[in-house]
Structure formats: C-alpha cells, structure tokens
Amino acid sequence: MITPAQVKVAEYILDSSGIVEILQTELTTDLRGRKPNVDSIRLYLLGTFLSVHHDGKAAISKAAKVLVKKICLEDQIRLGVRQGNDAVKQLSFDFYNVTRKISIVLGYGNSVTNIGDDERIRRHRVNTQIADRMMDVFQVGPRSPMMAIDATGFWAWARGKAITLIDAVITAGNAPNIPKSRWSSNSFDQDANWGKKTAKDGTSVTFFGYEEHTLVQVPDDDESIDAAPRLIVRFEVAPANEEIVDVTLDLINRAPHPVTDIIVDNHYHFKAFNRWGTELAKRGIRQHHDLRSDEHGFIEYGQMRWAAGRAHCPATPDTLGTIIRPGPNETEPALHEAFHRVIGIRKTYTMRRINLPQLDGAQRLQCPALAGHVGCPLRPGTEAAAIAQGIPIITKPPDANGPEPLPACCTQQTVKVTPPDKVLKLDQQHYWGSKKWANTYRKRTYVEGSYGNRKNDSTENMSRGLFHVTGLPLVNIAITMVNASYNLRMIQNWQQRTNTLPSDHPLLQSDDDIVGFRFIRAGDNAA
C-alpha cells in the first residue's frame, strides 16, 4: 500500500515543479481543436512517479494500476481516479491518449522529420525544462559549486533492426574502423541509437538505446560530506551516440547555481582543447580528471619537460616521466603511499606558475630553484639554501659550456610560454597524483554511485523494461521520474543522518496516525 502521506509527497513534488502546466500549455489543442484534460496529465505523471518510486516501473499500464490498486480509496476519490466510490476511470486509455499527444507535440529527435530546426530546438528546450524544473524541487541544503559529471547508457524498449552486415559486425563489437555515419538507424525507436558502454566486468559492449548525462553536486573542498544531500541537479537524455561536449556544456549552463569545479573521467578532457578546455575556462570552471594510459611521460616543449600538463625543469630525471597510479581496486595502502611519494619527488622539479594559464594557455613560469624548491648550480646561492633546508639539488643541469645556449628558464627570472593543446588539455588545479588531487578526483564516485544506486532492482530499477515507450519525450519523462525518486530517497536518508530539515518539510510527511488498512473487494461500495 502507498500511504496518504506518500501520495502527498508525490503531489508536492509534481505541483511544485510546474511540469503539469508546461505540458498543458504544449498540449493546448490537438488536431481537432480539443483542449487536453489537465487531470489526465497530472494523474499520468503522478502515477508514473509513484510506480517508479515504489515498484521500479515506469510503464503506462503500471502508472494506471498503482493509482487504482495501491493508494487508499479516499485518495482515489480525491484525485479523481474513482468517480464516487466504485466507478473507476479508464486510466490506461486516458494515459495512452496523453502520451500519444506528448509524442506528437514534443518530439524532436530522429523520429520527427516535419519540423524545422528552430522548432526542433524549441521542443528540445521544453523537454529539458521538464527535467530541470523537477530537479529544482529538491534543492535543499548548501549549494556546492563543485560538480561531478558522467554518462550512462541504457537500452531502449524497442530493439534496433540489425538488418545489414555492417550492423551485425558492429553488434559483435569487431568494427572499429567503420564510421558511425554508416551505422543503421532503422529501428522501432527512431530516436535511440547504437552506442558503447562498459559492462560490469569492465569490457565494452554495444547497445541500442539512450544515454543519460548527469550532473551531481559533490562536497566542496572545505565542506563536510553531509553538509547537503548529494543530488542530481541536472541531467539530459540523449541518443546513445550523442557527442558529449555540447550536451555537457549545456548542462553546466543550465545548472541552478554557478559551477566553479567539475570532476570528469578521461572521455571528457581528451576532447579537442578549443571545444572543451577553452569553453570551461571561459566559464571560470576548473576541471579535475585522471590521465589516460597514453598521456604519461614527458613532452619536450620550450626547453622544458612537461608532464601531466605541468612544466618541469629541463634536468628532471627521465625516470620520473611515467608514474603509474595504482588501480582503483587496489587496497594495499603501501602502494598508494609509494605512488604519492614518487609524485612528490617529481613535483619538486615543477616550474613555479607566476600566473594561471590564460584562455589561450599562455602562462609565465619560474625556475624551481628560484622558487626555493630545489638547489641548482646555475642559480647562485640556491645550492647552499637547499643544503640548509634539506631539499634536492640538481646534479645534472644543462651544460653552460655546451654548444647550445642554456634554456631561457635557466637564465631568466621568468619565462612566458604557450604550450600545445596536447599539454593544455592535461592541466588541472591540483598536481596530478598528489593527495590533494586524489581527494578531489575520488568525489567522482558520487555520480558513478548514483547510476549503480538507481539501476538496483530494489530501487528505481533503471534497466531495460523500466519503461515501455519509445521516443525522446516519453523516455525523458520516465527518467525524470527515476531521478526525482532518487533525489527524494537521498534527501530522506540525509535527513535521518543529520536531522537538518524541519520535521514538517513537505518532502518529509509521515503517516503517524495510520495504524493499519483494510482491503476492499471489487464492487464494494464502502467509503
């Protein structure tokens, strides 16, 4: 049974978001000029949320069933599910009619071919507004400016038609050189597409469906873990082959409050610097990321040695170029401590930044000996200071008597340099591999954990079979209800740990006065 208080919470979420009014406006008239029934729209959304939150189902028939069979008779009458005590509305018919209209007036994906680009953009904005307004209902507690972002794939309800040899090869995962433009888009769900995702065993698998791009609020560096619930603040449902940059930047632009830091995986920072890194810099956002396997080692540029996006003394030992971090599942503390120790040794050779990189990557640097990090024979007085402080001394500096002139960084007080994009894309606030970097980067687990949490069959069950609809608008509504359900659980769990919100908060209503319930047989006329 779904209690009256649980229904009230669901109604508060739905009515506070305003998405019923958004849909009513969009469905103002159909082709015959009839106005939509706002009660049917509200009941469809309410039933879908309750079905997702309590049963892990977003199918239309399940949304109708939960209202007819799982809420009390008084609520059924109050909501209009029953007219009187025994006349049950044909909810499934009403819901199918509502969803058909939503698909017609809000469709903007590959399944819609008779609208122009401007109308497609407008419809996309309406769909994202529905998602945003729902997430805004849950903005409680301090608003951290630090976010983590990731994407997860999920199967469409309808299968893609693998009718060509190319499709068959791609499905088997053996066609790395076949361009996506040749992939078949002929499917029952024309808005979905083929994509890749990581299976539980770590392997890459091909699937047909959608991706959810998710922005989750994480604790700022000076904020306690439980200062606020770690909620989904923005998300977008897109075809599985959607390019991540535009979607992600749009999510950031739509964030409910300013973002200063974003934690990403390797797939993001690897994008072209002028499309990703520069766009983050324009917004004043710092990114935090790990390195790919092919991003280790020194890059020689400007007579300095660059590693992990930072410039180092030209005399930095070769052995410090590649330092491999222990795997995420490595639990031996000694291995992590050894890694941080070696990273600390390399960091002493880092050129000191006089200023942060500009939008084009230009930065002014200073020799680490002048910065007091090491001693160097080329910088008078620094060796004695290094001995006194117990810090390293450069033993093999560039040869002042050699055929080549000394690097500018060894003779000038400072040097200005603009490194290439392959260096700039690796740059981040904290020195890669340091403990500060590790403490920040591990917060990415908040967004990763949200996926595992929602995909659990005992929670929202965000897996194939969750919904039985096709097309971006209806899939977007289903995932919106999934994420609203998740955020509600996170807030209620946070409240149990911290008791921060007032007990009468609308999201925390309880049924203290209910001591039981009774079953009513079909045809009973009892109130």
Side-chain angles (χ1 to χ4, degrees):
M1 177 182 178
I2 299 174
T3 69
Q6 291 169 332
V7 174
K8 285 290 187 183
V9 170
E11 289 184 272
Y12 167 78
I13 293 170
L14 192 60
D15 295 340
S16 298
S17 71
I19 67 174
V20 173
E21 291 75 16
I22 292 173
L23 286 172
Q24 184 185 24
T25 299
E26 294 298 321
L27 305 182
T28 298
T29 58
D30 63 15
L31 298 177
R32 298 180 183 178
R34 294 180 303 200
K35 292 184 178 180
N37 187 332
V38 65
D39 292 336
S40 295
I41 297 173
R42 187 173 187 268
L43 284 176
Y44 163 62
L45 297 174
L46 183 65
T48 302
F49 175 82
L50 290 172
S51 181
V52 167
H53 192 62
H54 294 278
D55 295 333
K57 299 290 184 182
I60 296 171
S61 59
K62 301 297 183 182
K65 183 178 180 180
V66 78
L67 294 174
V68 173
K69 295 193 173 183
K70 292 202 172 184
I71 66 175
C72 71
L73 180 61
E74 289 82 358
D75 276 341
Q76 290 185 36
I77 296 172
R78 179 178 61 82
L79 293 170
V81 175
R82 290 176 181 263
Q83 296 175 339
N85 290 344
D86 56 356
V88 180
K89 279 188 173 182
Q90 296 296 315
L91 288 186
S92 292
F93 176 81
D94 288 348
F95 291 177
Y96 280 114
N97 190 40
V98 166
T99 54
R100 180 185 64 83
K101 291 180 180 179
I102 290 173
S103 295
I104 291 172
V105 303
L106 286 182
Y108 64 95
N110 293 330
S111 58
V112 182
T113 58
N114 59 344
I115 60 174
D117 290 342
D118 290 345
E119 174 63 12
R120 192 179 303 277
I121 292 172
R122 189 197 70 81
R123 293 186 183 192
H124 169 258
R125 282 303 175 203
V126 173
N127 282 276
T128 56
Q129 184 184 25
I130 289 170
D132 292 352
R133 292 284 291 273
M134 198 66 145
M135 295 302 98
D136 286 344
V137 175
F138 303 97
Q139 291 298 302
V140 300
R143 299 189 172 192
S144 170
M146 182 173 284
M147 304 280 180
I149 194 163
D150 204 353
T152 189
F154 55 93
W155 284 84
W157 171 241
R159 292 183 177 181
K161 291 183 179 179
I163 58 174
T164 68
L165 176 60
I166 290 176
D167 289 321
V169 174
I170 289 175
T171 302
N174 298 320
N177 297 320
I178 298 177
K180 288 183 179 178
S181 60
R182 296 181 62 194
W183 292 22
S184 172
S185 61
N186 186 11
S187 67
F188 294 110
D189 189 339
Q190 296 288 344
D191 289 349
N193 216 316
W194 293 99
K196 294 279 189 179
K197 67 176 183 176
T198 303
K200 291 182 179 180
D201 60 1
T203 60
S204 179
V205 297
T206 301
F207 76 105
F208 180 80
Y210 296 90
E211 278 192 327
E212 180 200 312
H213 302 260
T214 319
L215 195 64
V216 173
Q217 180 178 274
V218 305
D220 199 359
D221 287 341
D222 57 354
E223 184 181 42
S224 68
I225 292 176
D226 265 340
R230 302 308 161 187
L231 305 173
I232 298 169
V233 296
R234 287 293 181 264
F235 72 91
E236 181 161 343
V237 175
N241 65 337
E242 191 85 356
E243 217 283 332
I244 64 170
V245 170
D246 291 338
V247 175
T248 303
L249 293 176
D250 188 46
L251 286 178
I252 293 171
N253 292 340
R254 287 161 32 208
H257 55 272
V259 178
T260 61
D261 295 81
I262 187 165
I263 307 168
V264 300
D265 70 8
N266 299 338
H267 193 41
Y268 292 80
H269 82 267
F270 192 69
K271 298 298 182 181
F273 181 71
N274 65 338
R275 292 196 60 231
W276 174 248
T278 300
E279 290 300 320
L280 291 182
K282 287 178 181 177
R283 293 164 172 78
I285 298 174
R286 299 171 296 207
Q287 68 170 328
H288 308 267
H289 60 82
D290 201 355
L291 298 184
R292 296 162 60 104
S293 60
D294 59 351
E295 291 174 337
H296 293 281
F298 286 126
I299 296 174
E300 308 293 337
Y301 183 81
Q303 294 182 294
M304 290 174 282
R305 314 198 81 179
W306 298 77
R310 296 294 184 92
H312 298 74
C313 168
T316 306
D318 292 341
T319 55
L320 298 177
T322 298
I323 306 173
I324 303 301
R325 184 167 73 97
N329 297 323
E330 180 53 66
T331 59
E332 179 55 53
L335 293 178
H336 291 276
E337 286 300 321
F339 168 74
H340 290 308
R341 184 168 58 253
V342 178
I343 286 293
I345 294 173
R346 186 173 73 183
K347 189 179 177 183
T348 61
Y349 292 89
T350 308
M351 305 289 291
R352 178 192 172 205
R353 282 176 166 171
I354 304 301
N355 63 274
L356 293 176
Q358 304 301 303
L359 285 178
D360 63 354
Q363 50 197 280
R364 187 165 290 279
L365 306 171
Q366 184 184 49
C367 163
L370 292 182
H373 299 156
V374 296
C376 180
L378 299 178
R379 298 294 189 176
T382 61
E383 288 181 285
I387 293 173
Q389 297 177 47
I391 58 179
I393 294 176
I394 302 294
T395 57
K396 296 181 179 180
D399 187 357
N401 299 315
E404 299 292 332
L406 287 173
C409 63
C410 297
T411 59
Q412 299 177 186
Q413 287 295 309
T414 63
V415 59
K416 184 178 181 180
V417 63
T418 303
D421 287 356
K422 63 182 179 180
V423 168
L424 292 173
K425 67 169 58 178
L426 303 183
D427 187 35
Q428 48 192 317
Q429 179 189 12
H430 301 307
Y431 191 88
W432 178 83
S434 67
K435 289 186 176 181
K436 281 188 176 181
W437 171 85
N439 289 336
T440 297
Y441 185 70
R442 68 168 56 102
K443 295 175 187 177
R444 201 172 73 86
T445 57
Y446 283 99
V447 66
E448 291 179 313
S450 80
Y451 296 138
N453 193 312
R454 285 176 284 150
K455 290 181 178 181
N456 192 307
D457 59 10
S458 65
T459 58
E460 286 77 30
N461 192 30
M462 195 175 78
S463 58
R464 190 170 191 177
L466 167 74
F467 53 83
H468 299 176
V469 294
T470 60
L472 278 164
L474 297 183
V475 175
N476 177 64
I477 287 175
I479 300 303
T480 295
M481 297 308 173
V482 165
N483 293 347
S485 172
Y486 172 82
N487 276 357
L488 177 61
R489 286 194 298 107
M490 292 301 102
I491 288 175
Q492 292 177 341
N493 292 342
W494 172 70
Q495 175 70 4
Q496 290 181 355
R497 297 192 303 270
T498 67
N499 197 31
T500 301
L501 297 178
S503 59
D504 60 351
H505 192 283
L507 294 173
L508 304 174
Q509 297 184 48
S510 63
D511 290 298
D512 295 336
D513 57 336
I514 291 182
V515 295
F517 67 94
R518 65 188 179 89
F519 291 104
I520 298 178
R521 294 182 178 85
D524 282 357
N525 214 17

